[in-house]
Amino acid sequence: MMRKLKKIKITFSEKKGTTYALEWGESENGTTWERHALASNDMPRPELEAAIEMMGLYLIDGCEIMMDAAVVGRSVEVTDIAYEAKTPEVIRIGGVVILQRSGRPLAPHSPWLPLVDELKEAYTRLEAECMRYIDGDRAQGHLFAGMEEAQCTQS
């Protein structure tokens, strides 16, 4: 079975915390695709968080915002990523950037960026981590796995 990530949306709410909404397609034959969606407040693995943060560099670059790479990690929050399956493969990244001088937020969306070179590698990592999240592999996802095995052997 083939799976392809279509969209990621990260939303923060005071009441609910952070929600990770993922859309993806699944296909048996590569031509007919089923669309699926998941929205969860479960904390992701740190690797997924890091893959999302990496997209902030491409958001800044794609929007041609002059910002030092060291500042990007502190000032950019990626809020959504959309994948376009048409040829050539492209993605669009959206987020919130805290402007350095005023401290005010700016919410840019990049133009459609071609998936080539480093961006393709970064997106491939992001997609793999999203699929792990979809499959239930999340922060502390296997916390009690060892305890369950121990209980089975003691019985």
Side-chain angles (χ1 to χ4, degrees):
M1 175 180 294
M2 296 184 297
R3 297 195 300 181
K4 193 70 181 159
L5 186 65
K6 299 289 183 187
K7 187 174 185 178
I8 306 166
K9 185 161 183 64
I10 304 118
T11 309
F12 178 76
S13 162
E14 292 275 337
K15 288 184 179 180
K16 297 179 183 177
T18 303
T19 300
Y20 297 86
L22 305 170
E23 292 180 23
W24 72 99
E26 290 184 357
S27 176
E28 291 288 334
N29 58 14
T31 57
T32 306
W33 290 84
E34 290 183 358
R35 189 170 207 124
H36 298 273
L38 167 75
S40 176
N41 295 89
D42 289 349
M43 290 299 298
R45 294 169 12 104
E47 293 85 350
L48 176 54
E49 292 275 351
I52 292 168
E53 285 179 23
M54 176 62 74
M55 290 293 160
L57 294 170
Y58 299 103
L59 170 63
I60 296 303
D61 189 50
C63 291
E64 299 180 13
I65 298 173
M66 301 304 291
M67 187 178 279
D68 185 81
V71 176
V72 170
R74 296 189 311 268
S75 304
V76 178
E77 180 181 335
V78 173
T79 58
D80 60 277
I81 300 165
Y83 170 80
E84 179 58 48
K86 297 174 186 166
T87 306
E89 295 179 334
V90 292
I91 64 169
R92 184 174 57 212
I93 306 168
V96 176
V97 177
I98 304 301
L99 299 174
Q100 291 179 15
R101 280 189 267 156
S102 68
R104 294 186 188 133
L106 174 70
H109 280 81
S110 73
W112 287 102
L113 303 169
L115 282 173
V116 294
D117 304 326
E118 295 90 13
L119 179 55
K120 185 169 185 137
E121 290 175 29
Y123 182 75
T124 300
R125 270 193 307 278
L126 174 68
E127 184 176 42
E129 285 301 323
C130 285
M131 292 305 167
R132 290 183 78 163
Y133 188 85
I134 289 165
D135 292 337
D137 192 2
R138 302 177 187 160
Q140 297 184 346
H142 304 291
L143 186 61
F144 299 106
M147 291 178 63
E148 289 173 5
E149 288 176 15
Q151 288 176 345
C152 289
T153 56
Q154 290 177 354
S155 300

